[in-house]
Amino acid sequence: MAILADKTTRVVCQGMTGAEGAYHTAQCIAYGTPVVAGVTPGRGGERVLDRPIFDTVKEAVDETAANTSMIFVPPLQAADAILEAVDSGINTIVCITRGIPAHDMVKVKSIIRGHGVNLIGPNSPGMITSEEFKLGVMPSGIHKKGTIGIVSRADSLTYEAVMQTTQIGLGQTTTVGIGSDSVMGMSFVDVIKLFEQDRRTKGIIMVGEIGGDLEELTAQYIADEVRKPILSYIAGVTAPPGKRMGHVGVIPESGIGSAAFKCAVLAEAGVQIVQSPTELGSRMLEYFEG
Amino acid sequence: MNLHEFQAKQLFRAAGIPVPKGEVVDTPSGAVDAARRLGGQQWMVKAQVHAGARTEAGGIRDFNDLEKLHCFAQEMLGERLITAENSPAGQPVNQLLIERPCGVKNCYHLSVMLDPRSGQVVFQGGLSECRDSAELSDQSPGNFFQVEVDPVVGLQPFQSRQLAVELRLDRTIWPPFFEITQALYRLFIAKDLLLIEIGSLVENDHGQMMVLDVRVQVDNNALVRQPELAQWADYRQDENQVLGNGLGFIAMEGDIGCIVNGSGLALATLDIIQLNGGSVANIVEIDNGASTDALANACQLVWDNGRCSCILINIVGGIVRCDKVAAGIIDGIQKYNITCPIVVRMEGTRAEEAKALFIQSDEKIEIVKTLDDAIILLIDTPES
């Protein structure tokens, strides 16, 4: 296995009895993920997808030795679900839920600091180690076992990078969607650190987005610590400055947040930049062949 | 979501934070009546739009003559105010806030916001330029400093003291300042605010503290538990908003309409089209929450009564299921009688089922495998 999961991983799904939770958990099980239990308050004692359901995460951990959680709980209850998982000793949490109020998430962030918990998301498609282990909602079929680690904050665009590395034959080790909310758990740096240490990962693709300063903060770390080839596409290079672009907000003309600035600081840190997402696969291949 | 100044001041008043006496009006005669009720010889008239830099744009003026005030109100109401901070089209002025001015002795800047990285609530303060119009300007002088509050423990009294000392407040106004900072913190938490930006927190001639100008932003994700704030949404102010029914809309100037899932893929689609010499008319961004009706509506939004010459549907399904999207879009094409060429690229969750639906639908739709193929169909590249 690659990063964030190994042979000891046992998964509990919080919110498995909901339509979304049940559908995607079934897909994860079919992919080979060791899902051992579900948690839905008030539904303890039932069985769903042939797994026991518990009222609390603590019970699930005590009974099934779960150590990893995937969360499909509705937005207003999701922060509580994350804190319950942390309190019960879960060490890796993937939160798929979208639309969690920011105030709930800052509280979560403040509490989990120093707990050594890996929180992926919220508002994340999850993570997948190709052909081994899936904790998320990404389409399974596009992933192929290989050598590229992919980290992305641009939801469905993540799959684009996956499809291209699959089509061109490189394949992936692990793909992690860190989510597109402003208050997030693991950052680009946290995931890239794991890829840099992972023996199977030979190259890294980072999919960023205009707005915010996440890519800028990652550049310094890459310059100092990353020796593996790293390729990046920043979505929105052609977006007109000064215009509000959906969730991204208003695009600054220059400086932090603008595409030009992000690309420049990443390039300076040794990152190869592609202008169009259709070049991700072929440029990575050039890296290895050239 | 942004609040209007008058709405923010209403929240402040209820929270016990002093603001000037004022009334909000939507007609010129109402403006004069309000000024009469407020009394005095001088009045501030402030255009209500979701943007700063209103003074420089002529949206805030003071009057000592009711006839001139009436004229100004007549000019402003129903017009669009263009400031340095909004789009070239400006924003519509539908309300004016009429206030009594107050004499300013000292003026400060104070903001409350979230730091997403540290998970802390940040108070940021500084000395502000003293002006009669007293509105936030990006060029405010002075050094900024900040105090970080752990949301788990809340704002502590010593932190208010640190702020007071950094702002070099006269000790006589420490007590009202402490009350204001505590009230701001309570309001920030209770109302799920993302930003309180007080451009002018002033000490007036009578040694009282008062907020003259403020900008407030509410977390969209929290509107479900803040129903009274949700009612204050003014969608006429902000173009390209998330529409709240699983659709987001971005208006552009070109001729290719796009329906895409996810903001990252939306931006990538824009990049690919524009790097290949095409131009985008608009983008509708859909998410998992979009119902079949909302998806049909998405078709109408991109079609825009024929303003777009072709439509690209670019969906890479994960949590969004391609077949559900396809059903909604076929519905929309038929319902709104969309006649322009449509190119579909669908991959991921249930993509094959989706393609089957398109083929069965009898609508003239081109299904392509990759974005490069889509570009070839959408953009007439000049012969080289």
Side-chain angles (χ1 to χ4, degrees):
Chain A
M1 291 227 177
I3 66 168
L4 292 164
D6 59 27
K7 289 197 174 65
T8 67
T9 298
R10 294 167 70 82
V11 178
V12 55
C13 177
Q14 294 173 258
M16 190 166 91
T17 55
E20 208 106 279
Y23 177 82
H24 289 287
T25 306
Q27 306 283 312
C28 291
I29 293 170
Y31 204 69
T33 309
V35 177
V36 295
V39 168
T40 300
R43 302 275 301 265
E46 295 180 24
R47 282 187 83 81
V48 171
L49 301 175
D50 202 27
R51 266 66 177 176
I53 302 295
F54 298 93
D55 287 317
T56 66
V57 179
K58 187 173 182 307
E59 284 176 288
V61 169
D62 288 347
E63 298 290 322
T64 68
N67 54 15
T68 297
S69 172
M70 174 163 63
I71 295 178
F72 283 99
V73 169
L76 294 188
Q77 288 83 47
D80 182 53
I82 297 172
L83 292 177
E84 184 183 5
V86 173
D87 180 75
S88 309
I90 297 286
N91 53 40
T92 299
I93 301 167
V94 173
C95 186
I96 309 296
T97 308
R98 162 186 192 128
I100 303 179
H103 280 256
D104 294 5
M105 277 312 299
V106 291
K107 212 172 274 175
V108 166
K109 235 175 130 141
S110 182
I111 291 170
I112 68 172
R113 254 193 317 190
H115 264 83
V117 173
N118 290 318
L119 170 65
I120 299 172
N123 193 8
S124 154
M127 61 149 296
I128 181 167
T129 295
S130 296
E131 298 180 51
E132 286 185 31
F133 180 95
K134 165 169 138 167
L135 260 190
V137 300
M138 58 283 282
S140 308
I142 61 174
H143 297 262
K144 185 174 176 294
K145 198 171 197 147
T147 55
I148 307 301
I150 298 175
V151 59
S152 165
R153 71 158 164 143
D155 47 54
S156 50
L157 184 54
T158 316
Y159 313 144
E160 196 68 51
V162 171
M163 284 188 283
Q164 285 183 38
T165 46
T166 292
Q167 279 157 14
I168 219 145
L170 289 169
Q172 312 83 32
T173 50
T174 301
T175 302
V176 181
I178 57 173
S180 29
D181 279 4
S182 63
V183 190
M184 57 170 67
M186 293 183 86
S187 65
F188 278 130
V189 170
D190 299 321
V191 179
I192 290 171
K193 195 181 281 179
L194 297 176
F195 281 141
E196 180 69 11
Q197 293 160 356
D198 176 50
R199 226 176 292 158
R200 271 175 46 193
T201 301
K202 306 295 181 206
I204 302 165
I205 289 178
M206 170 175 136
V207 182
E209 216 172 71
I210 47 170
D213 60 356
L214 206 57
E215 291 77 11
E216 286 85 336
L217 292 168
T218 312
Q220 190 56 48
Y221 175 80
I222 293 173
D224 295 344
E225 307 287 341
V226 179
R227 298 290 158 265
K228 292 181 181 174
I230 176 161
L231 184 67
S232 182
Y233 164 65
I234 305 297
V237 282
T238 67
K243 199 168 179 68
R244 179 174 290 279
M245 303 294 289
H247 300 283
V248 177
V250 178
I251 308 310
E253 192 105 29
S254 60
I256 291 175
S258 69
F261 190 79
K262 283 179 194 288
C263 292
V265 294
L266 286 171
E268 202 170 312
V271 177
Q272 289 271 331
I273 306 287
V274 295
Q275 290 295 308
S276 164
T278 57
E279 296 167 22
L280 280 168
S282 53
R283 277 287 281 280
M284 203 54 165
L285 193 65
E286 275 172 36
Y287 236 145
F288 288 105
E289 292 183 338
Chain B
M1 182 186 102
N2 291 308
L3 297 187
H4 281 299
E5 180 193 5
F6 75 89
Q7 295 165 331
K9 283 181 169 170
Q10 193 174 320
L11 282 183
F12 273 31
R13 204 172 282 124
I17 303 166
V19 292
K21 231 172 121 182
E23 284 187 34
V24 62
V25 299
D26 54 13
T27 62
S29 60
V32 173
D33 292 345
R36 283 209 183 94
R37 274 193 299 273
L38 290 167
Q41 300 299 316
Q42 206 179 3
W43 305 274
M44 303 290 301
V45 182
K46 308 177 88 177
Q48 298 297 290
V49 292
H50 286 177
R54 288 173 296 164
T55 308
E56 295 81 349
I60 297 182
R61 293 198 30 201
D62 64 318
F63 294 94
N64 50 21
D65 178 328
L66 286 175
E67 212 163 298
K68 284 181 181 151
L69 186 150
H70 184 268
C71 276
F72 177 71
Q74 206 154 26
E75 271 169 40
M76 266 294 141
L77 285 165
E79 277 306 305
R80 297 182 76 88
L81 185 67
I82 301 163
T83 87
E85 289 187 16
N86 58 17
S87 70
Q91 286 162 307
V93 181
N94 296 311
Q95 289 124 342
L96 300 171
L97 178 62
I98 319 290
E99 281 182 349
R100 289 287 308 277
C102 87
V104 175
K105 198 165 129 202
N106 286 303
C107 190
Y108 311 92
H109 177 102
L110 188 64
S111 297
V112 191
M113 63 201 118
L114 287 177
D115 178 354
R117 230 168 307 283
S118 65
Q120 307 281 289
V121 177
V122 176
F123 275 74
Q124 193 178 66
L127 296 173
S128 187
E129 199 178 347
C130 259
R131 293 182 305 175
D132 285 346
S133 58
E135 199 210 6
L136 172 70
S137 155
D138 284 340
Q139 286 82 41
S140 299
N143 296 323
F144 288 97
F145 56 87
Q146 63 182 46
V147 166
E148 292 189 5
V149 183
D150 188 327
V152 180
V153 292
L155 178 70
Q156 302 300 302
F158 78 85
Q159 294 177 308
S160 293
R161 291 197 295 278
Q162 285 178 345
L163 284 166
V165 169
E166 291 281 3
L167 283 172
R168 285 174 262 154
L169 293 186
D170 194 296
R171 287 196 180 112
T172 55
I173 55 167
W174 279 12
F177 177 74
F178 294 163
E179 274 175 38
I180 288 173
T181 51
Q182 287 293 345
L184 283 173
Y185 184 77
R186 282 194 301 269
L187 190 66
F188 188 78
I189 299 295
K191 300 295 179 190
D192 275 298
L193 305 184
L194 293 181
L195 177 72
I196 298 176
E197 193 172 13
I198 301 175
S200 335
L201 173 64
V202 303
E203 181 189 354
N204 68 14
D205 295 338
H206 309 291
Q208 293 161 327
M209 294 219 88
M210 189 172 269
V211 171
L212 295 194
D213 185 67
V214 62
R215 218 192 286 193
V216 167
Q217 238 172 45
V218 190
D219 182 2
N220 283 342
N221 285 344
L223 288 177
V224 274
R225 66 183 180 201
Q226 302 289 352
E228 70 288 2
L229 296 188
Q231 285 178 8
W232 282 353
D234 183 351
Y235 292 111
R236 296 165 296 185
Q237 294 289 320
D238 301 292
E239 50 154 13
N240 301 340
Q241 277 248 356
V242 176
L243 301 176
N245 50 0
L247 303 182
F249 187 70
I250 301 169
M252 311 276 295
E253 276 79 44
D255 64 341
I256 301 175
C258 305
I259 298 178
V260 184
N261 66 313
S263 59
L265 194 60
L267 291 170
T269 306
L270 178 74
D271 286 346
I272 293 166
I273 291 175
Q274 302 201 141
L275 288 169
N276 283 285
S279 64
V280 170
N282 51 48
I283 304 175
V284 170
E285 196 190 289
I286 60 174
D287 71 33
N288 190 37
S291 65
T292 309
D293 279 350
L295 289 162
N297 186 23
C299 295
Q300 189 197 21
L301 282 171
V302 286
W303 167 239
D304 196 6
N305 295 316
R307 199 174 73 81
C308 78
S309 62
C310 51
I311 295 174
L312 168 64
I313 294 163
N314 184 20
I315 307 290
V316 185
I319 200 158
V320 169
R321 298 184 209 176
C322 291
D323 55 348
K324 185 182 155 194
V325 176
I329 283 171
I330 291 165
D331 225 34
I333 293 170
Q334 292 165 351
K335 192 166 161 194
Y336 299 106
N337 196 21
I338 294 170
T339 52
C340 69
I342 297 171
V343 176
V344 172
R345 186 271 189 144
M346 281 196 179
E347 290 293 335
T349 309
R350 292 185 177 262
E352 292 314 312
E353 289 87 340
K355 288 175 194 169
L357 285 176
F358 280 120
I359 291 165
Q360 283 164 20
S361 74
D362 283 341
E363 295 297 329
K364 267 187 23 205
I365 293 165
E366 290 275 1
I367 300 173
V368 296
K369 182 82 189 140
T370 68
L371 276 175
D372 287 330
D373 296 340
I375 293 301
I376 293 167
L377 286 174
L378 291 167
I379 302 167
D380 304 319
T381 38
E383 305 287 326
S384 56

